[in-house]
Amino acid sequence: MDSDVLIGLEVHVQITSLKTKLFCRCSCSYRENPPNTNVCPICLGLPGSLPVLNKRAIEKAVAVALALNSSISDKLLFVRKHYFYPDLPKNYQISQYDRYGLTPIATGGSVAIDVDGLNRVVRIRRINIEEDAGRIAYPEKSILGSRYALVDYNRAGIALLEIVTEPDLRTPREARVFLEKLGSILEHLEVADTSLEGAMRADANISVAGRPRVEIKNIGSPKDLEKALNYEVARQLNIVKSGGVIERETRHWIKERGITVASRVKELEGEYRYFPDPDLPPVPIGRELIEAIARSLPELPDQRARRIAKEYGVGDYMASVLVLHKKLCDHFENSSKVCGNPRLISSILINEFLRWVDEAGIDISSGIARLSTDRLCKLVQYFESGLISIKLLKEYVRIAVLEDINPEELRSKGLTTLGEESELERLVDEVLRENPKAVADSIRDPKAVNFLVGQVMKKTRGRADPKLVNEIIKRRLSEYGSK
Ligand SMILES: [Zn+2]
């Protein structure tokens, strides 16, 4: 059976680095404000109000287009996209369109991703600039089971970029890595802090085994994107296997339940009645502006990965994973500068830290607060001086991330003292006293030492470094042998 999967994404990113909304002077930092206090006649769509374009938003959009190698339009055209929904006070959204002679701010471009060592290129179809809608809050946390909805217009009118890909993604995992990479590019450009709730949302179009495509709306994070798509692939393959028909429909991701459900509203492109916004005449985008922005672009993830692989000797793969998260990469560079051993630090961050951050359900910034440079360097120092084994080092990272505990505290609690040399010496002496025959055997035959090492490891419940135990036993035996 043909089980090919085709996935395309529409990503909505708030330009969180702006101070004000796209067409009015209301503040962009709406999250802290009580509902419906961050509004004015323009973003509430009151009669007689006129939008005034925020120029900084255009500069940010141009920077994103340059970073994705897209072609930038020579003018900015806004359209009205009509639909009736409670979160849209004007009953239309100011957006852009790519048909009927209209054009979005940029078209084309690509993002290269590395998925578990495999290189893939994902083509970008277009980049739009548009305004965000308000937010609907459900008393039961989701649409399901809620008897009414509440509307908050604080978010209405925030500048959004809509970045649409071609259906080039083949697996849910690729979709996750793409979204992480895109988020990292936006963070390096200082366009968006994607860790803020609702700052980056994705709609996914997915088609399985050549069947009609299904759209999943409003997925809030790369991790949820992977989960929602895994759920959809399995659901659609089951329908295909049992001879059923997959309907072209829109579904919603219900994060709390880990499922998608069919949406009752069907939206068709024609119903939006796009037309140029008469309140916003075309704005030319000058070549000088584009060139000036191009000159000031910061180091982007791909360049940074190449530099990191070379400068720190961590290998191309590790570098490609580190740059997926700007903050993680910053943390890696800071910590490597403070305590050295970049290879060990990259391995701790990628193989241990990310896993426990996921498990704890916290974001990377909160994880970094728990495994700060200071704490991470202490652990590296303990390990390098032989106080703790690699196994114990991993255990420390787990506890630090899950429970926010300082490594020094762990040591004083006794979790590390078993790895300390003086404590180990005491245990070795105990084992030697208890096993005189094995001691005699070991003095004659060095291979017999393994039995004694095993006894010490048993007493430490596996928490000591076997290499260090072996060294201490051999030192003690040579002292015995010379007596
Ligand atoms: Zn406003």
Side-chain angles (χ1 to χ4, degrees):
M1 190 179 62
D2 174 21
S3 59
D4 277 359
V5 173
L6 296 179
I7 300 165
L9 299 179
E10 280 182 27
V11 184
H12 293 99
V13 184
Q14 292 178 342
I15 309 181
T16 60
S17 56
L18 294 177
K19 290 207 169 64
T20 58
K21 292 184 180 181
L22 186 53
F23 298 111
C24 65
R25 301 188 65 180
C26 292
S27 159
C28 268
S29 54
Y30 65 93
R31 288 177 178 78
E32 311 72 50
N33 300 3
N36 298 309
T37 56
N38 198 43
V39 290
C40 73
I42 295 173
C43 55
L44 283 177
L46 298 186
S49 62
L50 278 176
V52 179
L53 180 63
N54 181 341
K55 279 201 187 120
R56 297 279 297 147
I58 308 311
E59 293 167 14
K60 295 287 181 186
V62 167
V64 172
L66 288 168
L68 303 187
N69 295 309
S70 306
S71 319
I72 299 166
S73 168
D74 54 5
K75 58 183 180 296
L76 198 61
L77 293 168
F78 285 106
V79 302
R80 293 184 177 181
K81 177 181 179 178
H82 295 82
Y83 62 97
F84 185 80
Y85 208 64
D87 63 4
L88 198 66
K90 295 193 291 284
N91 290 341
Y92 65 83
Q93 176 191 27
I94 302 176
S95 180
Q96 296 195 294
Y97 202 48
D98 58 351
R99 279 185 235 170
Y100 314 124
L102 298 166
T103 173
I105 189 163
T107 51
S110 63
V111 174
I113 52 172
D114 182 323
V115 184
D116 306 321
L118 184 75
N119 289 307
R120 304 266 290 110
V121 173
V122 182
R123 289 169 301 154
I124 301 296
R125 184 179 290 169
R126 60 182 159 83
I127 303 173
N128 281 354
I129 181 161
E130 60 187 26
E131 57 177 352
D132 206 348
R135 200 175 61 84
I136 299 186
Y138 298 99
E140 303 302 328
K141 303 253 186 237
S142 84
I143 307 175
L144 298 179
S146 293
R147 294 177 53 219
Y148 60 92
L150 298 161
V151 188
D152 174 10
Y153 290 118
N154 281 354
R155 200 177 73 179
I158 298 271
L160 276 188
L161 294 176
E162 183 187 59
I163 300 167
V164 182
T165 76
E166 298 291 347
D168 286 348
L169 298 154
R170 294 287 175 274
T171 63
R173 172 112 186 105
E174 283 184 12
R176 175 182 181 159
V177 172
F178 170 82
L179 194 57
E180 285 174 340
K181 179 77 175 280
L182 181 63
S184 179
I185 292 171
L186 296 164
E187 293 199 347
H188 280 84
L189 289 169
E190 291 179 4
V191 165
D193 179 351
T194 60
S195 67
L196 293 172
E197 189 272 322
M200 187 164 78
R201 289 123 47 196
D203 298 342
N205 282 298
I206 172 168
S207 147
V208 171
R211 301 302 199 279
R213 67 186 162 90
V214 169
E215 185 177 24
I216 318 168
K217 285 263 187 209
N218 236 349
I219 307 165
S221 71
K223 188 179 163 188
D224 277 310
L225 176 64
E226 186 179 17
K227 280 191 197 165
L229 287 170
N230 274 328
Y231 177 85
E232 260 319 287
V233 170
R235 188 188 70 85
Q236 294 185 27
L237 278 179
N238 268 334
I239 295 176
V240 172
K241 261 185 216 158
S242 59
V245 175
I246 293 171
E247 301 229 13
R248 181 165 176 176
E249 63 180 352
T250 300
R251 300 178 71 86
H252 281 273
W253 168 240
I254 311 290
K255 184 182 172 179
E256 293 71 22
R257 295 174 54 190
I259 60 169
T260 67
V261 293
S263 151
R264 269 172 258 165
V265 206
K266 280 190 182 150
E267 286 149 5
L268 294 170
E269 228 9 41
E271 290 170 3
Y272 289 131
R273 292 171 293 127
Y274 291 95
F275 69 75
D277 193 316
D279 290 341
L280 290 158
V283 181
I285 305 173
R287 289 295 118 184
E288 312 76 54
L289 175 76
I290 296 173
E291 280 159 23
I293 294 171
R295 278 193 301 273
S296 64
L297 280 188
E299 184 185 47
L300 292 169
D302 286 345
Q303 284 167 283
R304 193 176 188 189
R306 283 192 290 274
R307 176 177 61 77
I308 280 178
K310 211 170 128 195
E311 196 174 318
Y312 297 94
V314 293
D316 293 341
Y317 175 68
M318 289 297 219
S320 78
V321 178
L322 285 170
V323 299
L324 282 184
H325 311 277
K326 179 176 183 293
K327 284 169 192 154
L328 183 74
C329 204
D330 294 345
H331 191 41
F332 162 77
E333 290 210 65
N334 289 339
S335 303
S336 295
K337 277 173 192 145
V338 174
C339 54
N341 212 334
R343 277 161 183 261
L344 179 62
I345 290 170
S346 67
S347 155
I348 293 173
L349 291 178
I350 291 170
N351 300 323
E352 309 302 320
F353 174 79
L354 283 180
R355 175 176 157 206
W356 300 121
V357 161
D358 235 27
E359 170 105 1
I362 54 177
D363 61 20
I364 287 183
S365 306
S366 317
I368 290 171
R370 295 178 182 190
L371 190 69
S372 60
T373 291
D374 193 40
R375 289 181 179 183
L376 186 53
C377 289
K378 269 226 167 83
L379 293 183
V380 170
Q381 197 192 328
Y382 289 168
F383 173 73
E384 284 177 338
S385 59
L387 285 181
I388 57 173
S389 62
I390 191 74
K391 196 179 158 202
L392 205 50
L393 169 67
K394 290 176 182 175
E395 179 65 6
Y396 270 40
V397 173
R398 186 182 76 83
I399 297 173
V401 176
L402 294 183
E403 296 170 33
D404 193 14
I405 295 179
N406 195 323
E408 273 164 347
E409 222 175 296
L410 289 176
R411 279 187 70 190
S412 65
K413 276 187 177 171
L415 188 64
T416 68
T417 48
L418 292 175
E420 286 193 40
E421 207 155 332
S422 57
E423 182 68 11
L424 274 181
E425 278 171 353
R426 194 184 61 75
L427 286 172
V428 165
D429 290 341
E430 218 174 275
V431 166
L432 297 185
R433 267 199 310 278
E434 288 163 8
N435 299 280
K437 187 178 170 296
V439 170
D441 289 349
S442 300
I443 290 171
R444 274 195 309 275
D445 175 12
K447 277 186 211 148
V449 167
N450 287 339
F451 172 79
L452 293 169
V453 174
Q455 293 303 305
V456 177
M457 291 305 288
K458 218 178 192 175
K459 277 188 191 283
T460 69
R461 278 168 289 149
R463 283 188 272 151
D465 177 2
K467 216 177 105 210
L468 184 61
V469 173
N470 204 313
E471 273 168 28
I472 298 172
I473 293 178
K474 281 187 177 153
R475 199 161 64 220
R476 280 288 196 266
L477 289 177
S478 69
E479 285 164 17
Y480 282 21
S482 61
K483 269 177 202 164

